[in-house]
Amino acid sequence: MKKLLIKGKKELIGAISISGSKNATLPILAASLLSNKVSLSNVPLVKDIYTMLELLKFIGLKIKIKNSKRIIEIVNNKEKINTLAPYRLVKTMRAGVLVLGPLVTKYKKAKISLPGGCAIGTRPVDLHLFALKKLGAKIKIKDGYILAEAKKGLRGTKIKFPSISVGATENALLAACGAKGKTVLSNCAIEPEILDLISFLKKLGSSINVFGRKIEIVGKNLTKKKINHNIIFDRIEAGTYLIAGALIGKKITIKKIETKILNTEIKILKKMGINIRASKNSISISSATSFKKSNIITKPYPGFPTDLQAQLMVLMTQAKGVSIIKEDIFENRFMHVPELRRMGAKIEIKNKTAYIFGPRKLNGAEVMATDLRASVSLVLAGLIADKRTVINRIYHLDRGYEYLEKKLKNCKAKIKRI
Ligand code: EPZ
């Protein structure tokens, strides 16, 4: 089992180019089921992407990966395709459920394994099924599988989500593109990754308009032409390295980003006393001698992202006073707390709210990653802890961070995979 070894307290200096977004690539790969020929560039070559490509191959798409150029080419011209997403391909990567919408709307049926839960919660899909049913799909759950069909195709309708869900919004969008007539989705998630999916779907010929949290889609015959699409940058990766720079950066420049998408994160870091110089497509950040405490509640975009709270918590351990994080999206997303405590952090949790007492010196330790974002918070803690930190189960990291050690090593971090 691979581990990461970090020797702490090495100041970071240099530039980091941000990769394409995993969470934009996954729904766009699912959307390729609606197309004939697709070429995606700026794709992050991380484990979850390969898992999704496995699933698309299993369904019947032809996939070509040009690793060095981070390009994926997809051809979807098979008559008979397999409208099944088996458990073995969905259990480790819940975004596999995103093939449900495209399969039902284009091929009239789908058999999709219910995604397994994961460390951060049960991860239900009731909102996905709610939307598909509204569009006219017949849905049954049997032996751990979703059996969906729409013999006469899906029909556009009005759907108001009872709560905001990224995945359910994406599945409903994909299904509505192939439905007859107009669909109006309200109380939608509007993450930048969803807007990138929408720009891809528009290239396919869909007519989609976004008004705040309302999205209007008119089902159209989709083009058979080849679609080229460049994946948006990964704002969570960018936020992670911004926090690394805030913690121990002499000067770190984050490149290949759209700064305006990171407004919320920049505001919080500035409030904590970090000096940030931002331009349109890059941000320079340096650490401070002391940090002010801050309070955040994780919210759907444009609120503070739940995928960045574990990383911000590490910075809060160095802030003066008691910082507060309320995790408002997932029921169990503080798995990194026991590991940070073992490194010397003083953190108390009272029903989904973490109280972080600082500043506290962190000591290197042997720790264990539990989910993708928790594991990267341990890397950040290792960068500022004294002596050595060994992080186990780093396969979690490889699911969503492309070339993490290389990017940090290029900024003088002492980090290696053993
Ligand atoms: C997406 O997950 C992301 N994954 C997650 O990133 C991210 O944390 C999450 O959105 C929130 O921003 C991908 O995009 C592949 P949700 P998703 O549906 O779609 C509940 C990472 O680290 N819910 O917005 O699963 C759910 O339990 C991952 O890259 C239902 O109750 O998130 C959660 O409490 C982790 N019923 C809340 O809604 C449903 O049908 C938000 O979940 C669906 C969700």
Side-chain angles (χ1 to χ4, degrees), residues 22-24 26-27 48 93-95 98 118 120-129 163-170 189 191 193 235-236 299-301 305-307 328-331 333 352 371-373 400:
K22 157 180 91 79
N23 290 351
L26 291 168
D48 275 6
M93 203 262 318
R94 65 176 264 105
L98 293 175
C118 66
I120 60 179
T122 50
R123 312 295 293 276
V125 288
D126 54 309
L127 297 173
H128 298 237
L129 304 182
S163 64
I164 295 175
S165 157
V166 170
T169 301
E170 291 167 343
E191 269 60 6
E193 296 76 35
R235 64 191 166 100
I236 305 300
K299 285 284 174 209
Y301 189 85
T306 171
D307 290 351
D328 214 23
I329 305 281
F330 286 107
E331 66 256 35
R333 204 167 192 178
K352 293 179 66 165
D371 69 86
L372 169 56
R373 308 302 175 181

Side-chain angles (χ1 to χ4, degrees), residues 196-245:
D196 201 33
L197 170 64
I198 288 173
S199 78
F200 176 83
L201 292 170
K202 283 182 168 174
K203 291 178 184 173
L204 273 183
S206 295
S207 82
I208 303 176
N209 288 298
V210 183
F211 313 95
R213 288 196 181 279
K214 198 158 96 170
I215 305 176
E216 285 188 3
I217 306 109
V218 178
K220 286 249 176 7
N221 291 330
L222 302 175
T223 178
K224 299 210 177 319
K225 287 200 323 290
K226 178 173 179 180
I227 307 290
N228 294 309
H229 188 79
N230 192 59
I231 300 288
I232 190 173
F233 80 102
D234 191 317
R235 64 191 166 100
I236 305 300
E237 185 196 20
T240 302
Y241 289 123
L242 276 179
I243 293 171

Side-chain angles (χ1 to χ4, degrees), residues 71-124:
I71 287 177
I72 291 179
E73 306 218 321
I74 300 172
V75 173
N76 173 16
N77 58 7
K78 259 196 176 164
E79 274 317 300
K80 184 91 189 72
I81 68 141
N82 193 353
T83 57
L84 165 68
Y87 176 65
R88 65 182 172 82
L89 289 172
V90 177
K91 69 175 188 260
T92 54
M93 203 262 318
R94 65 176 264 105
V97 75
L98 293 175
V99 301
L100 171 66
L103 288 176
V104 173
T105 207
K106 181 169 178 183
Y107 301 100
K108 313 286 182 260
K109 67 185 170 77
K111 180 178 176 184
I112 315 282
S113 164
L114 279 169
C118 66
I120 60 179
T122 50
R123 312 295 293 276

Side-chain angles (χ1 to χ4, degrees), residues 285-299:
I285 188 165
S286 310
S287 185
T289 43
S290 71
F291 305 102
K292 296 192 193 76
K293 67 184 173 68
S294 71
N295 298 348
I296 60 140
I297 304 178
T298 60
K299 285 284 174 209

